[in-house]
Each structure stands twice: as structure tokens, then as C-alpha cells.
Amino acid sequence: MFDWKKPTVLLLGRWQPWHDGHQALFKRALEKTGQVIIQVRDVKGVSAGQGNEDNPFNWDEICKNISERLAQEGYKRGKEYEIMKVPNITNITYGRGVGYVLEEESFDSSIEDVSATKIRKKMREEGKLKPK
């Protein structure tokens, strides 16, 4: 069962769509504390900041996509992770260090080269996603 008092890793993103790179990031985050909050920026059809205008998936589609992909590897919502809808967050600001660690994860090129932009383009070419 997800423990709201336990130390937790936060993943914040658009997840347009959730892909293998996100899956790898989730697994690495899970290793740190045993549970993860996945925050979904609700940005369908609007700009999510400079260079992030292509947001065709809505909250329900994203949650379904994340849950299905994580379930394929045995992860359960409410146990190892929870999903939370958040506004279109474009800046993260904090005061002095009060227990937060900001980390950028690096992966090998097989993961680093995964691109949601390329995935959306391919989905459009295959007719699985409406043109922009």
C-alpha cells in the first residue's frame, strides 16, 4: 500500500506519451525510496512552455497509458506508485535546502535517445494520432 508519510520520489512531466525512457526513469526512482509519485501536467492542447507545444493526450489517456505500461512489469498503482494531476507547472522554485534533493538522471544512449516527439510523429504517420 502506498504510504503518504514515507519518503517518496517525485516525477513531474507531461508524459506525452509515457515511453521506454520514462519507464527506465520510474524504475530508477523506485529504487531510491520504494515508491514514486508521478505528477502529470495537465497540458492537452496548450503550450507547456517554449518548445513544448505538442500535447495531444489528455489526463485520462495519460493515466491509462502510464498504468498499463507499469502493469506490464508488475507495478501497481496504490502500491509502488500513485498518479497525481497538477497544473501546467513551468517553473520549480524553492528556498534553502530543507530535505529536498534535486537530481538529474543520466542513461545510456538506448534510453537517452528515446523521444516522445519522435513517438508522436510516428503515431501520426501511422494514423494513430490526429495531425497537429
Side-chain angles (χ1 to χ4, degrees), residues 2 26 52-54 66 76-77 82 91 97 115:
F2 194 90
F26 170 83
N52 295 298
E53 286 76 27
D54 187 11
I66 292 170
K76 292 183 172 73
R77 185 172 180 179
E82 198 48 81
N91 296 63
S115 162

Coordinates of all heavy atoms in Angstrom, one line a residue, residues 2 26 52-54 66 76-77 82 91 97 115:
F2 N 0.5 2.2 -0.8 CA 1.3 3.5 -0.9 C 1.2 4.2 0.5 O 0.1 4.3 1.0 CB 0.7 4.4 -2.0 CG 1.6 5.5 -2.4 CD1 2.5 5.4 -3.4 CD2 1.5 6.7 -1.7 CE1 3.4 6.4 -3.7 CE2 2.3 7.8 -2.1 CZ 3.2 7.6 -3.1
F26 N 11.3 5.8 -14.1 CA 10.5 5.3 -13.0 C 11.2 4.2 -12.2 O 11.2 4.3 -10.9 CB 9.1 4.8 -13.5 CG 8.3 4.1 -12.5 CD1 7.5 4.8 -11.6 CD2 8.4 2.7 -12.3 CE1 6.8 4.1 -10.6 CE2 7.7 2.0 -11.4 CZ 6.9 2.7 -10.5
N52 N 7.5 23.1 -26.2 CA 6.6 22.0 -25.7 C 5.1 22.3 -26.0 O 4.3 22.2 -25.1 CB 6.8 21.9 -24.2 CG 8.2 21.5 -23.8 OD1 8.6 20.4 -24.2 ND2 8.9 22.3 -23.1
E53 N 4.9 22.6 -27.3 CA 3.5 22.9 -27.7 C 2.7 21.7 -28.1 O 1.5 21.8 -28.2 CB 3.6 23.9 -28.8 CG 3.9 25.3 -28.4 CD 5.4 25.5 -28.1 OE1 6.3 24.8 -28.7 OE2 5.7 26.4 -27.3
D54 N 3.3 20.6 -28.4 CA 2.6 19.4 -29.0 C 2.2 18.5 -27.8 O 3.0 17.7 -27.3 CB 3.5 18.7 -29.9 CG 2.8 17.5 -30.7 OD1 1.6 17.4 -30.6 OD2 3.5 16.7 -31.3
I66 N 0.2 5.3 -18.6 CA 1.2 5.0 -17.5 C 0.8 3.7 -16.8 O 1.7 2.9 -16.6 CB 1.2 6.2 -16.6 CG1 1.8 7.4 -17.3 CG2 2.1 5.8 -15.3 CD1 1.7 8.7 -16.4
K76 N 1.9 -1.8 -9.4 CA 0.5 -1.5 -9.2 C 0.4 -0.1 -8.6 O 1.1 0.3 -7.7 CB 0.0 -2.5 -8.2 CG -0.1 -3.9 -8.7 CD -0.7 -4.8 -7.7 CE -1.0 -6.2 -8.3 NZ 0.1 -7.0 -8.5
R77 N -0.6 0.6 -9.2 CA -1.0 2.0 -8.7 C -1.6 1.8 -7.3 O -2.3 0.8 -7.0 CB -2.0 2.6 -9.6 CG -2.3 4.0 -9.2 CD -3.2 4.7 -10.2 NE -3.5 6.1 -9.8 CZ -4.2 6.9 -10.6 NH1 -4.7 6.6 -11.7 NH2 -4.4 8.1 -10.1
E82 N 1.7 6.3 -7.3 CA 0.5 7.0 -7.4 C 0.6 8.0 -8.5 O 1.7 8.5 -8.8 CB 0.1 7.6 -6.1 CG -1.4 7.9 -5.9 CD -2.4 6.9 -6.3 OE1 -2.6 5.9 -5.5 OE2 -2.9 6.9 -7.4
N91 N 7.8 26.3 -13.8 CA 9.0 26.7 -13.0 C 8.8 26.0 -11.7 O 7.8 25.9 -11.1 CB 9.0 28.2 -12.8 CG 9.2 29.0 -14.0 OD1 8.4 29.0 -14.9 ND2 10.3 29.7 -14.1
G97 N 17.8 24.6 1.2 CA 17.7 23.1 1.2 C 17.0 22.7 2.5 O 17.5 22.8 3.6
S115 N 12.5 9.5 -27.7 CA 11.9 10.9 -27.7 C 10.4 10.8 -28.0 O 9.9 10.2 -28.9 CB 12.6 11.6 -28.9 OG 11.8 12.7 -29.3

